Amino acid sequence: HTPGPMLDLGPDVVLCQDSTVIFDAGPGFAAYLWQDGTNDQTLAASTAGIYWVETVDSCGIVQRDSVLLTISLLGDIKLPDTSICINESVTYTVNGFDTYAWAPAAGLSCTDCPAVTIQPAQTTTYTLLATTTDGCIKTDTFTVTVNNPGPTLDLGPDVVLCQDSTVIFDAGPDFVSYLWQDGTNAQTLAASAAGIYWVEVVDSCGIVQRDSVLLTISL
């Protein structure tokens, strides 16, 4: 009989999360025994630890080799969607990877950096593909929404109202919040009594405006 080959499981392995590696002792042996008691030529592994195999060749020579399996601790990329106003920017930072590919390039300060500043001219959905030298790949998609400031608030001219009549003051539909002098929060306010009426509005960019109008009753 000719002695079998030298047993070699190869170098230690760094595995990506949720992945599996196949350790192969080679085909030239008469018997195999892995640390889990199995007797195949190969062993599938997905958890960290030391894996070993003992082989016997056709001459009865026993060999044993081991390999260390570690798991990459890089977490999932979860980049949040965000909203900004026109001419504003937002920065995203993702550490721990060896290569980065951000796309599309429009509005990006860098397409291959771990940290990017994003200032898009319009609402844009971006994708990041990040990889490590160990072959771990992480991707994520996120949207940067660009809000345009609302219009100029204008309740219109002062109003002279006939007795027993009502006027509807309208602040306009393009604001995210409203506050009238009576504490109500609707877009419109019905008024029938003389006085000064005002409203304070906030647009999607956080800009606050206030306007007032004088209501008099015709006698």
Side-chain angles (χ1 to χ4, degrees):
H1 295 286
T2 301
M6 289 293 296
L7 173 63
D8 184 9
L9 289 178
D12 293 340
V13 175
V14 178
L15 193 66
C16 304
Q17 289 179 321
D18 303 321
S19 300
T20 300
V21 63
I22 305 296
F23 294 120
D24 191 340
F29 300 98
Y32 303 85
L33 176 64
W34 293 88
Q35 85 286 335
D36 65 352
T38 56
N39 305 108
D40 298 320
Q41 175 185 324
T42 61
L43 178 74
S46 59
T47 58
I50 296 175
Y51 291 81
W52 59 259
V53 65
E54 187 174 274
T55 60
V56 182
D57 65 19
S58 58
C59 292
I61 298 174
V62 178
Q63 299 181 66
R64 185 166 175 163
D65 192 23
S66 63
V67 65
L68 173 65
L69 171 61
T70 55
I71 305 297
S72 171
L73 297 179
L74 291 170
D76 288 337
I77 299 175
K78 288 184 172 59
L79 298 173
D81 296 336
T82 190
S83 295
I84 61 175
C85 292
I86 194 73
N87 297 325
E88 290 184 342
S89 64
V90 61
T91 298
Y92 287 87
T93 302
V94 179
N95 293 317
F97 295 87
D98 297 296
T99 66
Y100 299 85
W102 303 80
L108 295 179
S109 62
C110 179
T111 59
D112 58 359
C113 304
V116 295
T117 298
I118 305 177
Q119 189 177 23
Q122 59 190 8
T123 297
T124 305
T125 297
Y126 292 93
T127 298
L128 170 62
L129 171 65
T131 63
T132 69
T133 54
D134 301 315
C136 297
I137 300 174
K138 300 291 184 180
T139 61
D140 193 30
T141 299
F142 60 98
T143 300
V144 178
T145 300
V146 179
N147 295 317
N148 292 311
T152 300
L153 173 64
D154 184 8
L155 289 179
D158 293 340
V159 175
V160 177
L161 194 66
C162 299
Q163 289 182 324
D164 301 323
S165 298
T166 300
V167 63
I168 303 296
F169 294 120
D170 191 342
D174 298 316
F175 302 99
V176 296
S177 69
Y178 303 83
L179 176 63
W180 294 87
Q181 84 286 336
D182 65 351
T184 57
N185 305 109
Q187 174 186 326
T188 60
L189 180 74
S192 58
I196 295 176
Y197 291 81
W198 60 259
V199 64
E200 186 174 276
V201 298
V202 180
D203 66 20
S204 58
C205 289
I207 298 173
V208 178
Q209 299 181 66
R210 186 166 176 163
D211 192 24
S212 61
V213 64
L214 173 64
L215 170 61
T216 55
I217 304 299
S218 174
L219 301 177

